[in-house]
Amino acid sequence: MDKNEVAAVLGQIGILLELKGENPFKTRAYLTAVRVLESLEGSLEELVAAKRLGELKGFGEALQDKVTILVTTGRLPYYEELKASLPPGLPALLEIQGLGPKKVKRLFDELGVDSIEALEAACKENRIAVLEGFGEKSQGKILEAIAFKRQFASRHTLIDVLIQADPILEFLRGHPHVVRCSTAGSLRRWKEVIGDIDFLVSSREPLRVIEDFVSQPEVRSILVKGDTKATVILGEGIQADLRVVTDSEYPFALAYFTGSKEHNIVMRQRAISRGLRLNEYGLFQSTEETRDPALRVPCHEERDIFEALGLAFVPPELREDQGEFSAAEAGSLPRLIEWTELRGSLHNHSNWSDGRDSLETIAAQAHELGLDYWAITDHSRASFQANGLDAVRLANQIQAIQKVNESYAAEGSDFRLLTGSEVDILKEGLDFPDEILAGLDVVVASLHVPSGDGAENTRRLIRAAENPHVHMLGHLTGRLLLERDAYKMDIDSVLDACAATGTWVELNANPYRFDLDWRLWRRARDKGVKCVINCDAHRLEHFDFLRLGTGIARKGWLRKGDVVNTRNLAELWTSLATKRSRSS
Ligand code: DGT
Ligand code: CA
Ligand code: CA
Ligand code: ZN
């Protein structure tokens, strides 16, 4: 065990002893030891080997024994017994604001409260209010604190996090004492769900940057404000860390705090196997842990670190230890798609069904953004709650779209709206007959009301893919992030059917869906399935989803050629016709 791990165990022991109601001097000795270890300069292993632990402030014989056992064996029976002697849910109670060890011990001894759930139940049954020294008011406060903690423990969708992070990143960029800055962590890796935001800054004036960071209007409360680090709560209860480093440490800290943890572990191993050491402070010419700047391998950017380890630069989205190392070593990393390569979106709604905007407004926006085409695929009749179109309204809509297109043609513009439908996949088949589908430019087939039976869902989706008029399957698995899991189905069989029939699969770029999941795209691609990155826009703001969804496609290793809507309109017409010609 290294010194940080040892410190963590000692800290836990201190907490457990407090909960047991041990002598406060004894518990305080452990917490002091944690601080001593955290600020220890040299190697703890060396101190242990030289039997010099006694030189550390406050390290009596009992503590020296425990640390020696931890460092040499990696475990400590005393700690394990102590842990086993208390209910496992007890330490978490200390994280509820207003509850110290004394109160937690009383709640446990007198009411048997041994977890947050039990605490909540006790409050709701009014058992805390009648306890001496607690009362009605503190019972209410405890309930509030539980709700507060749950909110902060929660996970957040990428878009909710970006809304909080973007203005802060903007502020950091403009700060006079910030040299370089970036987001890091899961946000930089473009994960669909984020725990907390990580910001990284290089500066010569860390205190001033931290002071201004915690005074940002988005900051709701400050959890930690140190010399080089701050942790705050932003709107929506989203937690954010800021770390400030020197500019020479910056690329190393950026690589480290971008993660993922799994990716970092492999990077560190590669360094070790080259006789180097890699951590958040640098890449060092050393065979043991160090922060000595004199030993640092000079790297100005992340790219230089990868190069020093014999790797091509790995884009942050791919840093999940999912094969990026062998590809980076072989020089076979894909050139990932860029969102500016998209020419339009093939699944979108208008005010003819449940969208907000008119055909004219939508067309104007798409044209303004420099796109080549935008398909209007409103819902079919079965989606009655979404004001789905029947055959007559669909025929009228086709005429309305033709009129819009004529106005663009008259101005000499090549921009076009495409006609279409997001046709429901029903139990008996599709919601429109083939004759009607054949008259549409683009057909998206979506399962909105799945069966509880996975085999049945698989069968319906395969049948939809086999229809020659269906170009693509929409939001295939039906998941809603943080709300609903994917429908039950045999995804491989569905993807195989798509590959066999030339049916495309949508990457629904709505940030609450991101469906298909990035984890499935390489498999789909390798089966020969093409991707379409669709906004599924219901209002103009949703045009931004093109960028968000492309990040997920990148995370799924997709290249420009894997994505159908990077093609220009002429190529797209050919592609749309191909599906229909190959099966009819
Ligand atoms: P999140 O916040 O749960 O969405 O996920 P991350 O990846 O942002 O995780 P976070 O914020 O805890 O830490 C940021 C990065 O710092 C993480 O991706 C990798 C690095 N890191 C944190 N803890 C460790 C660790 O114990 N070992 C290693 N190798 N890296 C770590
Ligand atoms: Ca994070
Ligand atoms: Ca973090
Ligand atoms: Zn839909």
Side-chain angles (χ1 to χ4, degrees), residues 185 188-190 251 254-256 258-260 262-264 266-267 270 278 301-336 522 554-557:
R188 185 164 180 243
R189 301 199 314 279
W190 218 251
L254 182 60
Y256 181 85
T258 296
S260 65
E262 293 74 16
H263 172 93
N264 286 354
V266 180
M267 288 287 277
R270 285 187 76 91
L278 178 65
E301 290 172 21
E302 271 186 329
R303 182 175 299 280
D304 305 327
I305 306 173
F306 286 107
E307 197 185 310
L309 297 177
L311 297 167
F313 176 78
V314 178
E317 296 93 331
L318 301 189
R319 300 185 196 168
E320 301 287 351
D321 191 20
Q322 299 283 318
E324 70 270 28
F325 288 102
S326 50
E329 202 168 52
S332 63
L333 280 171
R335 196 195 74 78
L336 300 176
R522 269 167 92 192
R554 289 169 62 85
K555 214 165 170 51
W557 290 59

Side-chain angles (χ1 to χ4, degrees), residues 67-68 124 133 138 161 177 182 196 207 219 221 250 314 332 353 373 400 425-426 458 462 482-483 496 506 513 537 552:
V67 171
T68 304
K124 290 190 170 151
S138 75
V161 166
H177 292 295
S182 174
D196 72 353
L207 292 176
V219 172
S221 60
Y250 182 83
V314 178
S332 63
S353 69
Y373 47 83
I425 301 175
L426 304 174
T458 306
I462 291 177
L482 302 174
E483 259 177 57
D496 286 339
E506 168 179 272
R513 292 189 181 272
I552 298 295

Side-chain angles (χ1 to χ4, degrees), residues 155 184-187 189 193-198 241 243 256-261 264-265 268:
R155 320 227 352 113
S186 49
L187 177 55
R189 301 199 314 279
V193 173
I194 309 274
D196 72 353
I197 306 176
D198 300 276
D241 288 335
R243 292 181 185 81
Y256 181 85
F257 290 112
T258 296
S260 65
K261 203 168 162 177
N264 286 354
I265 289 169
R268 182 156 40 209

Side-chain angles (χ1 to χ4, degrees), residues 22 45 56 128 137 189 197 276 287 344 435 458 533 561 565:
E22 279 280 355
E45 288 95 310
L56 296 177
I128 309 279
K137 207 165 152 198
R189 301 199 314 279
I197 306 176
L276 303 169
T287 51
E435 309 84 80
T458 306
I533 300 175
N565 49 327

Side-chain angles (χ1 to χ4, degrees), residues 347 349 379 422 446 448 475 513 536:
H347 169 189
H349 300 270
H379 289 283
E422 181 187 14
S446 301
H448 287 117
H475 49 71
R513 292 189 181 272
D536 192 359

Side-chain angles (χ1 to χ4, degrees), residues 30 40 62 88 114 144 151 165 173 195 245 253 290 300 341 347 380 383 419 434-435 455 489 513 539 549:
Y30 282 95
L40 180 67
D114 60 0
E144 268 173 38
Q151 195 190 354
R173 279 207 188 103
V245 299
T290 176
H300 184 65
E341 291 169 335
H347 169 189
S380 63
S383 285
T419 65
D434 285 359
E435 309 84 80
M489 70 178 68
R513 292 189 181 272
R539 43 179 66 216

Side-chain angles (χ1 to χ4, degrees), residues 457-459 461-463 465-466 472-477 489-507 515-532 582:
N457 290 331
T458 306
R459 196 182 59 76
L461 287 160
I462 291 177
R463 193 143 71 116
E466 284 169 347
M472 71 199 89
L473 298 182
H475 49 71
L476 178 47
T477 73
M489 70 178 68
D490 174 359
I491 186 80
D492 276 301
S493 302
V494 177
L495 293 175
D496 286 339
C498 290
T501 56
T503 308
W504 307 327
V505 170
E506 168 179 272
L507 193 168
D515 185 6
L516 284 186
D517 190 316
W518 57 269
R519 295 163 187 83
L520 293 168
W521 273 111
R522 269 167 92 192
R523 203 150 99 217
R525 183 198 74 189
D526 291 345
K527 287 176 190 284
V529 174
K530 291 282 180 221
C531 170
V532 193
R582 77 188 260 173

